[in-house]
Amino acid sequence: MAHIGIAGAGFSGAVIARELCEAGHTASVFDTRDHIGGNCFTERHENGVMVHRYGPHIFHTNDERVWEYINQFGEMKPYNHKVKTTVRDAVFSLPINLHTINQAFNKTFSPAEAEAFVRDELADGSIADPQNFEQQALSMVGREFYEMFFEGYTRKQWGLDPTRLPASILKRLPVRFNYNDSYFNHPHQAIPAEGYTPIIEAILDHPSITVHLSTELAPADRANYDHIIWTGPLDAWFDYRFGRLGYRTLDFEQFVDDGDFQGTPVMNYGDADVPYTRITEHKHFAPWEEHDATVCFREFSREHTPDDIPYYPVRMVDDKALLEQYLTEAEAETGVSFVGRLGTYRYLDMDVTIAEALATADGLKTAFANGTSAATFFVDPR
Ligand code: UDP
């Protein structure tokens, strides 16, 4: 039987704690915040609306194991996520779909006509192998759409010229030649009926798990455990010895009102001169609830400083070199596993986080059964 110290009470830490304790081990879970759930934390506003304190989280997956897993711990309500964007005093549907194309160009194209129009009239066919975000957008949808929907938003979101960002960021968004305006393609899309906090509470609810909030798993205490699960920032484990990895942080300006503010959960703002990237209206993430009042967040993105909450790993060229140094160190460590968004310095959706936590727990169970608890496990982000 191994005793595990776990830094972080988000999905990664909770799932690994639960899986290892189910297998007969014990776990102490620490979180420096005064609540569980990490950035998935949800709470009810005093006016009754369920609020995602660190920005909205929509659960979507095509991984049946993960879908079954999360459903054991609470009721997941079907939720079909849609996003609109305001640019140049007009509202469009995202991701770019047939409605967006017809509206933007005042056309009545069929799917085949729209596809031919985008391919022949809009897309830049000279870019065979897009090397950055801008080239990716130009080759997919052309300059007009790039400037409307992506250039301004991306500058605000990442604080960088889109030519300095990887093409992969835009690959998250599809382009569709039909009227399907769902933001995600995954077969399972849902939000917990009572928010994420009770789900993570239920995962952590096991007699062999103890949770310590507002408490750091201090470096001096690491030796007290047979193995450590580190879901904090990768560079923090090494006390930032090579420097700090770059993150974007978010500021949320909350406002409360009566009625329906924007009629939809997420309104993006593509214009560069609007300082925020989007407004989220939280009651629309729980369409099964009825509320007269409403709670909205204006979302501002900026560079992360040591006192801020890290949200998006930047992964620019400089960060990649630094990341490589930390990964080399991580590989040489023993008795610790690096997991999750911060532990592996990747922008992870919740389903991938849970899948990787389950896989890590599987690996650790085998290792502990073989008496090798000092081994290091980490999901290599390279
Ligand atoms: N993006 C954009 N305009 C939009 C929405 C997204 O330019 O209206 C770009 C932006 O660079 C963003 C990326 O596409 O970082 C991925 O978008 P996604 O909606 O997945 O971002 P998230 O909601 O996860 O921040």
Side-chain angles (χ1 to χ4, degrees), residues 4-5 14 20 31 35 41 72 88 127 138 146 165 190 196 219 232 235 279 300 308 313 321 331 333 348 357 374:
I4 323 297
L20 293 179
D31 205 296
H35 61 74
F41 177 73
Q72 292 170 51
R88 301 176 187 168
I127 305 170
L138 295 177
Y146 167 63
L165 288 164
Y196 290 93
D235 51 353
I279 297 179
F300 300 81
D308 297 316
E331 276 168 331
E333 288 285 273
L348 291 183

Side-chain angles (χ1 to χ4, degrees), residues 163-378:
T163 54
R164 296 187 56 209
L165 288 164
S168 58
I169 295 179
L170 193 60
K171 289 182 186 153
R172 285 172 63 86
L173 299 186
V175 177
R176 301 202 189 100
F177 300 106
N178 57 31
Y179 288 101
N180 176 5
D181 61 350
S182 288
Y183 203 65
F184 303 114
N185 285 326
H186 283 154
H188 303 294
Q189 292 187 49
I191 291 187
E194 284 299 319
Y196 290 93
T197 310
I199 297 260
I200 295 168
E201 210 164 52
I203 298 173
L204 288 166
D205 182 17
H206 186 282
S208 301
I209 301 177
T210 52
V211 178
H212 309 269
L213 296 178
S214 307
T215 311
E216 184 194 18
L217 199 174
D221 296 333
R222 291 174 184 173
N224 298 345
Y225 302 95
D226 298 310
H227 192 89
I228 298 225
I229 305 294
W230 183 256
T231 79
L234 176 64
D235 51 353
W237 173 266
F238 297 102
D239 201 21
Y240 309 101
R241 72 173 72 133
F242 303 121
R244 284 179 181 265
L245 291 166
Y247 281 96
R248 297 293 284 175
T249 192
L250 298 175
D251 294 320
F252 299 105
E253 196 177 276
Q254 180 181 307
F255 59 98
V256 179
D257 208 340
D258 283 328
D260 194 353
F261 177 73
Q262 61 185 17
T264 196
V266 177
M267 178 63 77
N268 288 355
Y269 286 85
D271 295 324
D273 58 359
V274 175
Y276 40 88
T277 52
R278 57 187 183 180
I279 297 179
T280 57
E281 184 164 13
H282 290 239
K283 69 177 175 183
H284 295 308
F285 295 105
W288 51 89
E289 295 187 0
E290 298 236 353
H291 298 283
D292 292 332
T294 197
V295 181
C296 299
F297 286 5
R298 268 189 210 94
E299 201 169 309
F300 300 81
S301 172
R302 65 176 166 80
E303 197 176 332
H304 166 264
T305 71
D307 296 330
D308 297 316
I309 297 170
Y311 282 86
Y312 296 91
V314 182
R315 298 181 77 91
M316 287 299 301
V317 177
D318 297 354
D319 298 304
K320 279 192 177 157
L322 194 54
L323 176 63
E324 196 54 47
Q325 284 183 285
Y326 282 119
L327 291 176
T328 305
E329 291 287 299
E331 276 168 331
E333 288 285 273
T334 53
V336 54
S337 299
F338 299 95
V339 286
R341 183 177 55 97
L342 300 176
T344 64
Y345 193 60
R346 283 174 308 153
Y347 185 54
L348 291 183
D349 287 331
M350 287 178 284
D351 64 326
V352 180
T353 304
I354 293 173
E356 291 185 357
L358 290 171
T360 303
D362 288 345
L364 287 171
K365 279 188 262 182
T366 308
F368 295 162
N370 296 334
T372 52
S373 59
T376 289
F377 286 83
F378 83 115

Side-chain angles (χ1 to χ4, degrees), residues 83-94 99-106 144-145 147-149 153 156 262 264 266-274 277:
V83 173
K84 309 282 180 226
T85 185
T86 297
V87 277
R88 301 176 187 168
D89 294 324
V91 177
F92 298 90
S93 160
L94 281 184
H99 202 160
T100 325
I101 298 164
N102 277 333
Q103 189 192 358
F105 292 94
N106 206 16
E144 181 70 10
F145 274 149
E147 289 178 355
M148 283 172 81
F149 299 139
Y153 188 98
K156 291 189 285 185
Q262 61 185 17
T264 196
V266 177
M267 178 63 77
N268 288 355
Y269 286 85
D271 295 324
D273 58 359
V274 175
T277 52

